[in-house]
């Protein structure tokens, strides 16, 4: 039986750890807007209505389908901005380059964050990504090869920033507040997607496409200033933290290791079924979420016969729902823990179940309600919203089972998620190319099956207690 965390209360919202969560929310907001900026700007950059690349080029390039439908509202593009003759194949390479960059750094950056410190790792990643965003318009003038190189390096920088976050939470987040703090921080990505889809086209139309990069690159630089000024790796070293908050955080984490690790127990990790339960959860979660994110505009156009340019906010609604559910799920999870209503593993399995089962039911129902516009839209909004309940489940489970290696394991977990996204995107493209109606039905049924596999595997092998190989050995104490 896993032990319930102590219920001793500490300072809450007016505290440094919640300030850290807000700054990390801002950081995630910034990174996702920088990542999607090119998808918005490329409509004006190539001045073409035929922007779609290969379906398996990358997860990200299918955003063009959504944004392409807004092109009629962007015909008055600033004439001072350059226009480039990039083929759909070239665009596919440009979009996929950032994903490959992220994959290259997920695992090594997670390991290095635990050794060198997450503050500098994450801050450097955000700074590099922001500077490269500012440089993108000039790079486009110098040649497409330079744009590809910049996007790849930007992906590597963002991979560093994504995984470094969990090393910080391993030292700053009390067990009773982990869901709450990580959900506040993680919701920045969904909120950023909502904002960039809403305002990106307006910025391009009013100021010219380069200002999309200038504005969000500058926001990233401001965020870096806040990050390096306010954030510290450890609450013990923060000069502004109150004694009460410091004592509360330290006492709540007394059972965790605080010593730096010099090696990673790879063999023990490979044999650890609770870790594989987390990995399978990530694989299942990203499978369906990638399909919804990638093919949402295509499904609406082909099945509902709706032109998204008549409702520009429609494609962004799932992300505001996802952001809201992430925060609410974190609040509810920590409420259940703080009142001792459920054990830690029960909370993790409850939210993992809701985050995998509910979107599966919505996906299976979609082919049967295709004739109802309103019902279909509601289900499409609910899928990413309910999926993000997993953020209080297996998504943060590495903080429970191996806090010393949280960033390293998060890198591996996100790697499983990216692999699932690539496979599901390619599979979906193949299925709907054969026959649209039966293809979509098979896509949703297959996604539900993958989700059920992940749910059963996690329910069977998932744990929330620190694994033996992740504990600090007595002889390593000073």
């Amino acid at each position: 039986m896993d032990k319930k965390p102590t219920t001793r209360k500490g300072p809450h919202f007016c505290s440094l750890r919640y300030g850290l969560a807000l700054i990390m929310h801002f950081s995630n907001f910034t990174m996702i807007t920088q990542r999607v900026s090119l998808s918005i700007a490329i409509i004006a950059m190539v001045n073409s209505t035929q922007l779609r690349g290969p379906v398996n080029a990358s997860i990200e390039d299918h955003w063009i389908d959504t944004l392409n439908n807004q092109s009629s509202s962007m015909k008055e593009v600033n004439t001072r901005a350059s226009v480039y003759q990039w083929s759909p194949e070239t665009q596919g390479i440009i979009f996929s380059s950032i994903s490959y960059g992220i994959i290259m750094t997920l695992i090594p950056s997670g390991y290095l964050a635990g050794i060198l410190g997450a503050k500098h790792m994450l801050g450097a990643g955000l700074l590099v990504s922001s500077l490269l965003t500012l440089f993108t318009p000039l790079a486009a003038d110098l040649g497409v090869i330079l744009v590809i190189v910049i996007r790849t390096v930007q992906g590597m920088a963002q991979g560093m920033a994504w995984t470094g976050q969990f090393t910080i939470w391993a030292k700053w987040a009390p067990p009773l507040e982990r869901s709450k703090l990580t959900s506040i921080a993680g919701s920045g990505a969904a909120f950023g997607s909502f904002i960039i889809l809403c305002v990106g086209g307006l910025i391009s139309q009013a100021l010219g496409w380069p200002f999309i990069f200038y504005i969000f690159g500058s926001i990233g630089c401001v965020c870096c200033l806040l990050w390096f000024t306010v954030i510290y790796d450890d609450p013990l070293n923060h000069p502004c933290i109150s004694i009460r908050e410091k004592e509360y955080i330290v006492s709540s984490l007394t059972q965790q290791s605080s010593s730096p690790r010099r090696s990673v127990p790879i063999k023990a990790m490979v044999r650890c079924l609770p870790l594989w339960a987390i990995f399978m959860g990530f694989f299942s979660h990203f499978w369906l979420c990638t399909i919804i994110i990638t093919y949402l505009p295509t499904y609406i156009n082909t099945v509902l016969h709706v032109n998204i340019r008549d409702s520009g906010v429609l494609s962004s609604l799932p992300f505001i729902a996802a952001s809201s559910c992430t925060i609410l799920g974190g609040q509810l999870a920590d409420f259940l823990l703080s009142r001792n209503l459920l054990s830690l593993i029960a909370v993790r399995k409850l939210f993992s179940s809701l985050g995998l089962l509910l979107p599966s039911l919505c996906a299976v129902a979609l082919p049967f309600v295709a004739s109802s516009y309103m019902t279909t839209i509601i289900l499409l909004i609910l899928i990413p919203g309910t999926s993000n309940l997993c953020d209080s489940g297996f998504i943060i489970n590495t903080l429970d089972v191996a806090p010393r290696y949280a960033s390293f394991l998060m890198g591996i977990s996100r790697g499983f998620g990216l692999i699932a996204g690539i496979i599901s995107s390619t599979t979906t493209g193949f299925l709907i190319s054969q026959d649209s109606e039966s293809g979509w039905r098979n896509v949703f049924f297959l996604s539900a099956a993958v989700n059920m596999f992940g749910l059963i595997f996690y329910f069977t092998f998932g744990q929330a207690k620190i694994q033996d190989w992740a504990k600090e050995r007595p002889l390593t104490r000073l």
Side-chain angles (χ1 to χ4, degrees):
M1 296 289 293
D2 58 301
K3 295 177 63 178
K4 291 184 177 70
T6 176
T7 58
R8 187 167 71 87
K9 299 291 184 181
H12 286 298
F13 290 102
C14 295
S15 61
L16 267 176
R17 62 187 183 278
Y18 281 92
L20 186 152
L22 290 175
I23 294 176
M24 204 171 289
H25 174 98
F26 192 26
S27 301
N28 289 330
F29 169 92
T30 300
M31 285 189 290
I32 198 68
T33 54
Q34 292 174 357
R35 185 176 178 182
V36 181
S37 290
L38 185 61
S39 298
I40 302 282
I42 203 167
I43 297 175
M45 292 172 72
V46 300
N47 194 24
S48 172
T49 59
Q50 198 67 24
L51 297 175
R52 188 171 176 178
V55 294
N56 61 345
S58 72
I59 295 173
E60 203 175 336
D61 61 345
H62 296 283
W63 280 109
I64 304 173
D65 290 329
T66 304
L67 306 170
N68 189 36
N69 289 320
Q70 300 176 11
S71 59
S72 63
S73 65
M74 295 171 57
K75 290 180 179 178
E76 302 295 331
V77 176
N78 192 323
T79 56
R80 292 172 294 177
S82 301
V83 177
Y84 310 98
Q85 301 300 319
W86 293 344
S87 67
E89 291 76 13
T90 300
Q91 296 168 42
I93 295 173
I94 293 173
F95 284 118
S96 62
S97 58
I98 195 169
S99 298
Y100 294 127
I102 292 175
I103 291 175
M104 285 192 292
T105 55
L106 278 177
I107 295 177
S109 63
Y111 174 74
L112 291 175
I115 298 296
L116 304 177
K119 172 184 178 177
H120 297 98
M121 181 72 69
L122 197 155
L126 180 58
L127 179 60
V128 170
S129 178
S130 300
L131 294 176
L132 291 177
T133 300
L134 291 171
F135 185 67
T136 299
L138 177 60
D141 283 336
L142 296 177
V144 68
I145 298 298
L146 186 56
V147 174
I148 294 172
V149 171
I150 282 181
R151 293 282 288 181
T152 302
V153 177
Q154 189 175 29
M156 296 171 65
Q158 291 199 3
M160 292 166 51
W162 287 119
T163 53
Q165 297 181 26
F166 272 65
T167 295
I168 291 181
W169 289 129
K171 296 180 179 180
W172 275 91
L176 290 178
E177 300 178 16
R178 281 177 178 165
S179 299
K180 198 180 302 180
L181 291 167
T182 56
S183 65
I184 292 173
S187 62
F191 185 61
S193 300
F194 171 77
I195 293 298
I196 188 67
L197 284 171
C198 284
V199 306
L202 297 176
I203 294 173
S204 181
Q205 182 182 13
L207 303 174
W209 64 261
F211 280 87
I212 300 177
F213 299 99
Y214 297 151
I215 290 174
F216 290 104
S218 299
I219 291 175
C221 292
V222 173
C223 185
C224 286
L225 181 62
L226 287 174
W227 182 266
F228 285 112
T229 303
V230 177
I231 304 303
Y232 281 73
D233 284 318
D234 197 313
L236 292 173
N237 300 321
H238 203 294
C240 300
I241 191 172
S242 67
I243 296 177
R244 182 188 176 197
E245 182 178 9
K246 182 189 298 184
E247 290 178 348
Y248 171 63
I249 295 175
V250 171
S251 64
S252 67
L253 299 176
T254 51
Q255 294 183 344
Q256 291 187 183
S257 167
S258 59
S259 64
R261 70 221 196 288
R262 299 301 178 187
S263 61
V264 177
I266 298 296
K267 291 183 179 180
M269 289 180 177
V270 171
R271 294 193 296 264
C272 182
L273 284 176
L275 276 187
W276 281 103
I278 296 173
F279 298 155
M280 292 302 101
F282 267 84
F283 187 91
S284 302
H285 174 68
F286 274 78
W287 181 287
L288 180 56
C289 286
T290 300
I291 292 175
I292 294 300
I293 291 173
T294 303
Y295 286 94
L296 174 61
T298 302
Y299 185 79
I300 291 175
N301 286 330
T302 59
V303 176
L304 298 182
H305 309 291
V306 174
N307 193 334
I308 300 181
R309 70 185 176 192
D310 296 332
S311 183
V313 180
L314 181 62
S315 59
S316 61
L317 288 179
F319 300 102
I320 198 65
S323 180
S324 301
C325 287
T326 299
I327 296 176
L328 293 175
Q331 297 287 329
L332 178 57
D334 285 339
F335 171 81
L336 294 173
L337 289 173
S338 64
R339 298 300 177 91
N340 286 327
L341 298 176
L342 292 174
S343 66
L344 182 58
I345 185 58
V347 169
R348 296 290 180 252
K349 289 187 176 181
L350 171 62
F351 282 87
S352 297
S353 301
L354 293 174
L356 292 174
L357 179 60
L358 294 180
S360 298
L361 295 176
C362 293
V364 170
L366 273 173
F368 302 101
V369 298
S371 59
S372 173
Y373 169 82
M374 186 57 64
T375 304
T376 299
I377 294 299
I378 291 174
L379 291 177
L380 290 173
I381 292 174
L382 285 176
I383 289 176
T386 54
S387 290
N388 274 30
L389 293 174
C390 289
D391 283 19
S392 297
F394 57 79
I395 298 291
I396 62 170
N397 200 193
T398 54
L399 285 172
D400 305 318
V401 300
R404 296 179 73 194
Y405 307 98
S407 284
F408 176 77
L409 294 174
M410 177 53 63
I412 298 177
S413 300
R414 287 189 177 274
F416 273 89
L418 286 172
I419 292 171
I422 293 172
I423 297 174
S424 66
S425 179
T426 305
T427 303
T428 300
F430 172 77
L431 290 175
I432 63 176
S433 67
Q434 305 301 309
D435 179 79
S436 180
E437 183 176 352
S438 62
W440 283 115
R441 183 174 62 249
N442 293 335
V443 165
F444 293 130
F445 286 178
L446 176 61
S447 299
V450 172
N451 268 14
M452 289 303 96
F453 167 76
L455 174 58
I456 293 172
F457 198 98
Y458 184 78
F459 221 88
T460 304
F461 299 108
Q463 295 184 15
K465 63 180 181 180
I466 299 180
Q467 301 300 294
D468 292 337
W469 48 265
K471 294 179 180 178
E472 183 179 11
R473 297 174 181 173
L475 54 81
T476 62
R477 293 185 183 274
L478 297 178

